[in-house]
């Protein structure tokens, strides 16, 4: 478990977190799995390429993260209202937000340098390195999100509050189009992340999510059995804490 | 297959690019696909034979991939070694002595900037003897249509990352099929599936570069 991060309140609303790179560490097991080696290990020589490329990418990361708290104005069967916006999250998510009094809208990114480096490797006809670099960047983005989540859990625990899992637009039946509504709740270019018309965030290695907050809430298994998305990567994956 | 062809085949299958490449460690400081291809051409080996050796190697690694014995990084390493051999064969392609299997026009659809998956597909398809015309990212329908006119008989590949841009993909597929009913369209990317591909009127869906090659090769018998 990471220590509490320092927070900076923004006048326009929201909190920016200090996310020095030493609080995010690269999860080598998650990386090997993400590269496709689920029950197998990488062959001799590949492991070295993986660790050296991952380290290079890690050193290029500029972690940025922040969140904004909202009262939960309404919780309905297929969605929630926060900040005057109704989010049609679908029943899988709204059910898991039951008991929440507030919600944190969070964003995090690792910056644009890792994806630029990976693109350069591909351009230089080094597809293996480019793929490893891109995958390491994705894993690091996930870990940055996890760090923010743990920070919130720790901070709120001190106030006697618990947190739910984090839920991202585009997952668990929540339409990715609703990214537009979500970003309307945040200051312009929050954490230097911008949303394109097609709901695509830039930098690419960025994550947005909502976390429910309330007394007695806790992170639970994702409700995969209720979800129709057979292809989802996170299917059956257990939360990390 | 001659001994030199066997060596080219093995180097590609193992992902041994050239002599200085540290991968795989058990072939350290040995010649790689690059050196053997140069040697083969110098020895007067026919480009057709070299190409056949490459195809055999890619088929072998592809089979291993399908059996989950190797994974995307090894597949890419083989494609990387194969692309090196292709560099040596370029003059023969240009002179018309040997032919590519066909042309694959590839792009990430309008509104979408995600290109890693598309780029990996591009490299593996190219490594398997196809000419790839990569249109880049955020490719509007008109650009695909123009490329189809410029490359008669080509197959087309479309990539998308999000469900929002998958809707743009469906519109592009529809337009291509309206104007060029015979053009084979293959789609791919994280949110795609066989079902989604069928619903949008595409001819095929591939979850990875190897499946893409399998579909493309089936078009040329
Ligand atoms: C890694 C990952 C991330 C990373 C990096 C994302 C990135 N763009 O770089 C992080 C953690 C940052 C992330 C964030 C998000 N993600 Co994400 N992510 C994934 C994941 C697990 C893998 C995607 C990936 O990069 N794979 C590796 C590359 C190499 O593979 P690929 O691009 O898919 O390409 C391969 C094949 O698809 C195929 N292929 C690709 N193109 C083509 C073309 C043709 C013609 C063919 C034949 C084949 C083919 O071959 C390629 C090589 O094998 C997928 C789920 C999954 N299992 O695919 C979700 C997924 C793409 N993410 C999803 C979502 C929703 C998001 C977010 C919107 C979540 C959020 N609210 O924060 C954001 C969006 C980010 C942004 N920039 O806007 C959804 C998208 C679907 C949707 N609902 O729209 C997915 C599908 C997960 C899901 N719900 O099932 N994500």
């Amino acid at each position: 478990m990471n220590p509490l991060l320092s927070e900076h309140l923004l006048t326009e609303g929201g909190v920016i977190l200090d996310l020095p790179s030493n609080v995010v560490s690269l999860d080598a097991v998650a990386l090997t799995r993400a590269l496709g080696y689920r029950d197998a290990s990488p062959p001799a020589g590949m492991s070295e390429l993986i660790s050296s490329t991952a380290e290079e990418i890690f050193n290029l990361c500029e972690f940025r993260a922040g969140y904004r708290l909202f009262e939960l104005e309404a919780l309905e069967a297929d969605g929630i209202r926060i900040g005057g916006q109704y989010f049609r999250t679908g029943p899988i998510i709204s059910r898991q937000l039951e008991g929440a009094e507030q919600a944190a809208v969070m964003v995090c990114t690792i910056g644009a340098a890792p994806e630029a480096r990976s693109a350069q490797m591909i351009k230089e006809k080094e597809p293996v390195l480019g793929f490893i670099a891109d995958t390491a960047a994705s894993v690091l983005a996930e870990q940055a999100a996890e760090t923010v989540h743990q920070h919130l859990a720790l901070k709120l625990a001190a106030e006697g509050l618990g947190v739910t899992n984090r839920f991202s637009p585009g997952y668990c039946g929540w339409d990715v189009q609703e990214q537009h509504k979500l970003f309307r709740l945040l200051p312009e270019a929050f954490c230097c992340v911008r949303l394109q018309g097609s709901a695509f965030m830039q930098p690419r290695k960025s994550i947005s999510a909502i976390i429910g907050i309330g007394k007695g809430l806790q992170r639970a298994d994702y409700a995969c059995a209720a979800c129709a998305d057979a292809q989802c990567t996170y299917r059956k994956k257990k939360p990390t804490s | 297959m001659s001994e030199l062809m066997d060596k080219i085949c093995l180097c590609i299958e193992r992902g041994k690019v050239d002599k200085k490449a540290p991968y795989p460690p058990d072939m350290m400081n040995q010649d790689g696909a690059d050196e053997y291809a140069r040697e083969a051409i110098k020895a007067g080996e026919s480009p057709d034979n070299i190409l056949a050796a490459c195809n055999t190697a890619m088929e072998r690694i592809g089979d291993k991939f399908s059996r989950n014995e190797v994974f995307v990084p090894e597949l890419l390493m083989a494609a990387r070694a194969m692309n090196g051999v292709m560099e040596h064969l370029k003059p023969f392609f240009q002179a018309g002595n040997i032919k590519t299997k066909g042309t694959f026009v590839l792009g990430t659809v309008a509104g979408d900037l995600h290109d890693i998956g598309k780029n990996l597909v591009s490299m593996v398809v190219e490594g398997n003897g196809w000419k790839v015309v990569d249109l880049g990212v955020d490719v509007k329908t008109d650009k695909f249509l123009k490329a189809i006119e410029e490359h008669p008989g080509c197959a087309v590949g479309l990539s998308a990352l999000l469900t929002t841009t998958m809707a743009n993909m469906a519109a592009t597929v529809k337009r291509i099929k309206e104007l060029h009913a015979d053009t084979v369209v293959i789609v791919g990317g994280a949110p795609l599936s066989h079902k989604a591909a069928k619903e949008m009127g595409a001819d095929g869906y591939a979850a990875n570069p190897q499946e893409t090659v399998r579909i493309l090769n089936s078009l040329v018998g």
Side-chain angles (χ1 to χ4, degrees), chain B residues 18 35 49 62 79 103 114 131 170 217:
Chain B
D18 55 19
E35 287 81 12
N49 281 351
T103 302
H114 177 89
K131 175 178 171 182
N217 286 351

Side-chain angles (χ1 to χ4, degrees), chain A residues 131 134 138 141-142 168-171 174 176 179 199-209 229 231-234, chain B residues 72 104 106 114 116-118 120-121 157-164 186-191 205-209 212:
Chain A
F131 176 61
D134 185 83
S138 297
E142 274 292 346
S168 293
Y171 280 88
W174 187 3
V176 72
Q179 283 273 66
F200 192 90
M201 286 177 284
Q202 272 190 302
R204 190 181 308 190
K205 304 297 178 187
S206 303
I207 291 176
S208 67
D229 188 352
Q231 306 215 55
C232 179
T233 340
Y234 300 98
Chain B
V72 174
F104 189 43
L106 186 61
H114 177 89
I116 173 91
K118 165 191 72 72
L120 299 180
V121 168
L158 290 82
S159 182
L161 177 84
L162 299 176
T163 43
T164 40
I186 306 170
V187 293
Y205 157 75
N208 55 56
T212 315

Side-chain angles (χ1 to χ4, degrees), chain A residues 35-37 40 43-46 49 118 122 125-128 130-131 134 175-177 196 198-200 202 204 231, chain B residues 23 25 71-74 76-77 80 111-116 119-120 123 126 161-165 191-193 205:
Chain A
L35 287 169
Y37 303 100
M46 193 61 84
L49 288 180
S118 147
I122 300 259
K125 301 257 181 233
E126 290 292 355
V128 186
F131 176 61
D134 185 83
D175 191 343
V176 72
Q177 277 288 8
Q196 309 296 309
S198 56
F200 192 90
Q202 272 190 302
R204 190 181 308 190
Q231 306 215 55
Chain B
Y23 183 87
F71 299 89
V72 174
E74 290 101 300
L76 294 175
M77 202 56 110
R80 164 85 175 78
D112 204 317
L113 304 172
H114 177 89
D115 61 356
I116 173 91
N119 292 342
L120 299 180
M123 264 180 236
E126 200 171 50
L161 177 84
L162 299 176
T163 43
T164 40
T165 52
L192 272 294
S193 60
Y205 157 75

